[in-house]
Amino acid sequence: MTNLAVFASGTGSNFDALQKAIEDGSLSAQIVLLVCDRPNAAVIQKAIRKEIPVLVIDPHHYSSKMDYEFKILESCKKHQVSWLILAGYMRLLGETLLGAYPDHIMNIHPSLLPAFKGKDAIGQAIAYGVKIMGVTIHYVDHTMDGGTIISQESFKVDSDWTREEIETRVHQIEHQLYPKTLQQLLEEQQ
Ligand code: GRF
């Protein structure tokens, strides 16, 4: 069984989608750890409800990124984590985690990368007026939303769509694309 650590800072709808895919048997893995850098993030309660161990860790309590990530790494090792799955984790990874999990860290981003990297990708795409939007799953490197692209899915935006409707569509795609992409990758590696 493949052990996943999900890294998240917010709502956790992707965390839920991954867990649901695990429960319905479409993703052959288990989430053994949630790493969250925001003590009030809603994702924490989602993990607790599923009895998944949670590491709530505030980077401001550490003198360096290395110390902060070393603490995370210790927990990942304890739980025998083999993949780091970033889902709304609002931080760049440093050498400590990148070096410990080469080619085993992925992220989901709500745009068709390399367009609209960084915060509020959906807002950026709306402001630009693009007619095709989408979602990207990619390997993580030291850059913001960089790293090799693993999968993408696009959709056409009608001119009368509200931001809320666009967000709903993005999330629908994310929630099926993330578990599907991960499962395909795990199968390829067998
Ligand atoms: C998602 O849109 C994801 O693409 C981005 O952050 C958001 C996290 O949403 N990286 P949630 O916390 O999984 O609901």
Side-chain angles (χ1 to χ4, degrees):
M1 186 60 81
T2 305
N3 287 351
L4 314 175
V6 175
F7 285 51
S9 309
T11 315
S13 67
N14 281 284
F15 172 90
D16 259 352
L18 289 162
Q19 180 59 25
K20 210 172 275 173
I22 289 166
E23 286 171 15
D24 74 18
S26 56
L27 175 56
S28 319
Q30 54 185 349
I31 303 174
V32 294
L33 179 66
L34 169 72
V35 176
C36 183
D37 59 337
R38 294 198 180 147
N40 298 321
V43 66
I44 294 171
Q45 290 312 316
K46 293 189 162 96
I48 290 172
R49 271 201 293 277
K50 293 290 174 183
E51 298 183 356
I52 292 169
V54 180
L55 174 68
V56 182
I57 180 159
D58 186 340
H60 302 106
H61 296 164
Y62 294 82
S63 56
S64 68
K65 189 169 195 124
M66 199 203 272
D67 286 351
Y68 166 71
E69 288 200 342
F70 192 75
K71 188 78 193 159
I72 296 175
L73 187 55
E74 257 181 13
S75 204
C76 288
K77 282 185 176 159
K78 182 177 147 207
H79 292 282
Q80 298 180 308
V81 167
S82 49
W83 276 89
L84 310 188
I85 307 298
L86 277 50
Y89 181 68
M90 304 302 281
R91 245 161 237 292
L92 280 179
L93 293 198
E95 286 309 319
T96 307
L97 288 172
L98 290 170
Y101 286 94
D103 302 324
H104 283 72
I105 310 178
M106 63 167 80
N107 181 42
I108 186 163
H109 186 72
S111 79
L112 292 173
L113 289 172
F116 309 125
K117 294 180 176 185
K119 281 188 186 155
D120 192 20
I122 296 174
Q124 292 182 53
I126 292 170
Y128 206 90
V130 297
K131 303 298 176 207
I132 307 280
M133 292 190 187
V135 171
T136 303
I137 316 265
H138 63 94
Y139 286 108
V140 172
D141 64 14
H142 61 284
T143 62
M144 167 91 73
D145 300 319
T148 307
I149 290 173
I150 306 169
S151 65
Q152 290 185 307
E153 193 168 320
S154 64
F155 63 95
K156 204 171 167 310
V157 187
D158 288 340
S159 49
D160 61 345
W161 281 18
T162 62
R163 179 177 173 126
E164 205 185 0
E165 286 169 319
I166 292 171
E167 281 176 354
T168 301
R169 185 77 189 101
V170 165
H171 284 123
Q172 276 171 356
I173 292 175
E174 287 188 340
H175 297 163
Q176 52 84 23
L177 189 64
Y178 216 0
K180 189 174 91 183
T181 301
L182 184 52
Q183 177 63 21
Q184 276 168 0
L185 225 107
L186 296 179
E187 283 172 14
E188 280 165 22
Q189 289 194 339
Q190 273 175 3

